[in-house]
Amino acid sequence: MLRFAVRQLLSGIVLTVVVTAVTYALVFSDGTGIARRVLGQSATQAQVTAKVTELGLDQPVAAQYLTWLGGLVRGDLGASYFTGEPVTNMLATRVPVTLAVIVPALLFTMILSVLVGVTAAVRGGGLDRFLQVAGVVGAAIPNFVVAIVLVFAFAIALRAFPATGYVSPDIDPVGWARSLALPVLAVLIGSVAGAAQQFRGAVIDVLEQDFVRTLRSRGISERAVIFRHVLRNAAGPGLTILSLQTVAVMGGVVIIERVFALPGMGLLANDSAVQGDIPAVMGSVLFSIVVVLIVNIAVDLLVGWLNPKARVS
């Protein structure tokens, strides 16, 4: 199991280097254009040229990336081209906001998708068809549309939650929870709808296997068959689906934070990409990679623990 964990960790490090290198190459387009955006359109050509040299944008892209990678190893992610604020400080203020949306969304996705998926697979009939239709509709509607509908229903009509804005938990814990309720719900609806259908399919596949019929023929109760055997065997595909949903949730949070005006990583990634603020963009990308890797490694370890064959493959 230890070798399996080390192998997953090394794979994650290699993936981080590859993704950040590709991202750096894609983001870096024009050093002169970035310097002019930093200084403003009234800057002279001499000032722009001096800024390009000051920021190191006159160096080859590969050299700039290696410099950034060396800083990452030392814990230095550089500073924003536009504000001069260290990227680590920018992440420190924004990461908690984004995690406050992502963590409960993923936890509730795991719980609700298992409940809905198992219920649909075991009960079947009209309930299964209704849950399938609801799942297809929930997965098909973009989460920003869901967010707008939630704002009209719960913020404007019922006035139960604030439409936009973020309240720090240090100031008002209840206000903090209310400010995150609609963003989490907007992410959760599409995520559960997609994951529950996949989990339903995994449970149905297990229910059709011979060992389940054998267990039932021995007089073992249906509840024991489902909770002791079927769920254990369906957990592998279900956990894999959850890791894939993490990527979708990370993408959805970028838009959801814009809709609800949350000062999180999504807003930072969007604004810094538009400006060409490479250090801030790389900090945002690194955060996304770390979250996805942590979830994927945790899922792989759980799958490896549940199914020893997965460690070999």
Side-chain angles (χ1 to χ4, degrees), residues 19-180:
V19 172
T20 54
V22 172
T23 302
Y24 204 102
L26 292 175
V27 171
F28 183 86
S29 57
D30 179 17
T32 302
I34 294 173
R36 183 165 291 282
R37 284 196 292 275
V38 173
L39 296 173
Q41 294 302 318
S42 60
T44 64
Q45 186 58 41
Q47 291 173 318
V48 171
T49 303
K51 196 65 177 179
V52 168
T53 304
E54 176 189 337
L55 297 177
L57 298 175
D58 55 340
Q59 300 295 317
V61 177
Q64 292 183 48
Y65 172 71
L66 291 176
T67 301
W68 178 85
L69 192 61
L72 172 63
V73 174
R74 298 189 303 272
D76 180 11
L77 297 178
S80 168
Y81 288 163
F82 291 82
T83 64
E85 182 182 5
V87 174
T88 50
N89 290 356
M90 300 168 75
L91 297 181
T93 57
R94 291 169 173 81
V95 165
V97 179
T98 299
L99 289 181
V101 177
I102 291 176
V103 172
L106 288 177
L107 287 177
F108 282 115
T109 296
M110 182 170 58
I111 296 171
L112 295 177
S113 61
V114 170
L115 290 174
V116 174
V118 171
T119 302
V122 174
R123 295 292 180 87
L127 179 62
D128 182 26
R129 288 191 291 273
F130 170 76
L131 292 176
Q132 282 193 67
V133 171
V136 170
V137 173
I141 300 175
N143 56 13
F144 71 89
V145 175
V146 175
I148 293 172
V149 172
L150 292 175
V151 167
F152 275 104
F154 294 100
I156 297 177
L158 299 177
R159 297 184 181 278
F161 300 100
T164 59
Y166 176 75
V167 178
S168 172
D170 298 331
I171 300 174
D172 182 5
V174 176
W176 171 74
R178 292 180 71 244
S179 68
L180 293 174

Side-chain angles (χ1 to χ4, degrees), residues 232-278:
R232 184 181 179 90
N233 284 275
L239 289 171
T240 303
I241 294 162
L242 181 65
S243 67
L244 295 176
Q245 283 295 328
T246 305
V247 179
V249 168
M250 292 295 297
V253 164
V254 174
I255 301 173
I256 291 301
E257 287 185 354
R258 172 67 70 179
V259 173
F260 290 98
L262 297 178
M265 292 302 301
L267 207 58
L268 174 65
N270 182 70
D271 293 344
S272 56
V274 171
Q275 292 177 320
D277 194 347
I278 295 176

